[in-house]
Amino acid sequence: MMRDYTGRISVPMLMRTILFASITAVVTSQIPGLLSLMPVADNMSANLIDPAATGSLPSSLPSTASSPTSAARLTFDGQGHFVGTFSVNGKFIAGMVDTGATYVALNQSVAAKLGLSPAAFDFRYPVNTANGRTSAAKVTLSEITVGNVRVSNVEALVLKDEALSTTLIGMSFLNKLSSYSVSDGALSLNQ
């Protein structure tokens, strides 16, 4: 029991303690739900390790917008990632937006489906992935479209199939947009 300095039970102090404990219990019970709404960083980033040591990559070419107000919206999947269907070089593929990836990254199998010639792949660029360090080939994709957003001449890296299982839509695509933002559990892409 809560007692004041005279030893008597203090009802106001007891009420404040109960109120504080109740608020604390409600807040702490909601934390897991709030955390599930936050995006989870994907450790499958296709980041170039040292372009200066391997020969620099050319900078991105300007994007081509279908209209100045083009927009698309992607929602979270069950794991907190933004995923969607993208048209790449005219073929539909599933992809996951990864702001931690410097480039769009796809594996050899997806690259072949897009009509890219495996014989032209020069795996000389070192990258870090969830599976460790590997080498990638640099390519330029003619076009990536999602919703009404269309971007041309997007730099990408092709990795071996065992190094990458998911197509990552990285910053080489996102940097060509006028803006992108996250609100209400969705990623908005704007041209």
Side-chain angles (χ1 to χ4, degrees):
M1 287 286 166
M2 298 291 185
R3 299 188 185 269
D4 64 10
Y5 64 93
T6 62
R8 292 179 295 173
I9 296 176
S10 173
V11 173
M13 183 181 280
L14 180 61
M15 293 302 292
R16 282 191 301 262
T17 302
I18 291 171
L19 180 62
F20 177 76
S22 299
I23 291 171
T24 303
V26 168
V27 169
T28 57
S29 71
Q30 297 305 309
I31 288 175
L34 292 173
L35 290 177
S36 71
L37 295 177
M38 295 175 59
V40 178
D42 184 22
N43 58 3
M44 293 191 304
S45 295
N47 292 319
L48 193 65
I49 293 174
D50 186 7
T54 59
S56 63
L57 295 174
S59 62
S60 297
L61 299 172
S63 65
T64 331
S66 55
S67 74
T69 57
S70 297
R73 215 164 137 83
L74 300 173
T75 56
F76 280 132
D77 68 0
Q79 298 175 341
H81 299 108
F82 294 110
V83 296
T85 300
F86 296 81
S87 172
V88 179
N89 290 359
K91 309 259 190 212
F92 290 101
I93 61 166
M96 178 175 65
V97 174
D98 184 356
T99 58
T102 306
Y103 295 93
V104 169
L106 38 110
N107 63 30
Q108 285 179 297
S109 295
V110 170
K113 288 177 189 172
L114 298 177
L116 301 174
S117 172
F121 298 153
D122 180 11
F123 291 96
R124 64 180 171 130
Y125 298 102
V127 294
N128 284 325
T129 71
N131 296 327
R133 195 172 179 167
T134 189
S135 295
K138 187 220 165 266
V139 297
T140 299
L141 302 171
S142 300
E143 184 176 277
I144 297 179
T145 304
V146 58
N148 292 325
V149 174
R150 184 185 71 190
V151 175
S152 297
N153 301 315
V154 180
E155 292 178 321
L157 297 177
V158 176
L159 285 75
K160 302 212 181 222
D161 287 345
E162 60 272 7
L164 184 66
S165 59
T166 303
T167 297
L168 303 177
I169 307 299
M171 295 306 294
S172 61
F173 170 81
L174 294 172
N175 282 336
K176 291 188 170 205
L177 302 175
S178 63
S179 68
Y180 57 93
S181 61
V182 176
S183 65
D184 301 323
L187 173 66
S188 296
L189 307 172
N190 302 297
Q191 271 185 321

